[in-house]
Amino acid sequence: MTSLELASLKWSILVLHGPNLNLLGLREPEVYGSTTLSAINQMLETEAELLQAQVSSFQSNHEGALIDAIQAAYGQHQGILINPGAYTHTSVAIRDAIAGVGLPTVEVHLSNVYKREPFRHHSYIAPVAVGQISGFGAESYRLGLRALVHHLQHLQTKR
Ligand code: DQA
């Protein structure tokens, strides 16, 4: 991409993938599909260009590393697209980080968590997210990115 093209990109979005999502492709494909994480990241880059946005993706198996990334996003990115993985159901600290930086955040899940075990039915993240998309496999990320950019555009026109 040329520097002129980069300068015309509008929204900068941080994409966060939580624990075990680095195993996509190998991990329970009957639940999570066979698309790898790098294919998802690539798909998001292509989609972002169509939306006049750019994405920076980061995966970690560590709660603190995800929190550091959320804090560092303040002033660097306009929104966060996050699949918190199992931390969805356990992490008050990730929820507090999102609330703390106040960046519009969309929560996504590959699987439909509400069709699964009861412990997956509660999300600590949902109350601080703009919204949640769950159950569309890798497509959840694309839908989530579109929803987030749409939300940011809407916020801008309201100013
Ligand atoms: C997940 C759902 C979580 O319950 C699970 O712990 C994951 C993946 C999903 O994308 O469907 O790691 O977030």
Side-chain angles (χ1 to χ4, degrees), residues 22 24 38-39 56 67 80 84 89 96 105 107 122 130 139 147 149:
N22 54 318
L24 286 179
S38 72
S56 305
I67 292 164
I80 300 174
H89 321 297
D96 285 354
T105 297
E107 175 186 346
H122 178 260
V130 178
E139 194 61 21
V149 172

Side-chain angles (χ1 to χ4, degrees), residues 21-120:
L21 293 166
N22 54 318
L23 294 181
L24 286 179
L26 174 82
R27 176 190 185 201
E28 301 176 86
E30 66 290 353
V31 178
Y32 299 114
S34 55
T35 311
T36 62
L37 191 63
S38 72
I40 289 175
N41 287 334
Q42 225 148 31
M43 174 268 279
L44 288 174
E45 277 177 34
T46 308
E47 188 68 23
E49 275 182 46
L50 298 174
L51 296 166
Q52 281 202 308
Q54 59 186 5
V55 288
S56 305
S57 303
F58 176 68
Q59 186 276 331
S60 180
N61 295 322
H62 304 276
E63 191 174 19
L66 293 164
I67 292 164
D68 287 344
I70 293 165
Q71 291 186 6
Y74 185 75
Q76 298 294 318
H77 301 284
Q78 280 88 52
I80 300 174
L81 182 69
I82 185 168
N83 181 348
Y87 287 141
T88 306
H89 321 297
T90 64
S91 184
V92 175
I94 290 178
R95 172 207 180 113
D96 285 354
I98 292 169
V101 296
L103 288 170
T105 297
V106 171
E107 175 186 346
V108 299
H109 299 284
L110 296 142
S111 63
N112 179 350
V113 288
Y114 302 99
K115 257 191 183 171
R116 301 181 62 196
E117 304 93 324
F119 66 82
R120 295 184 206 276

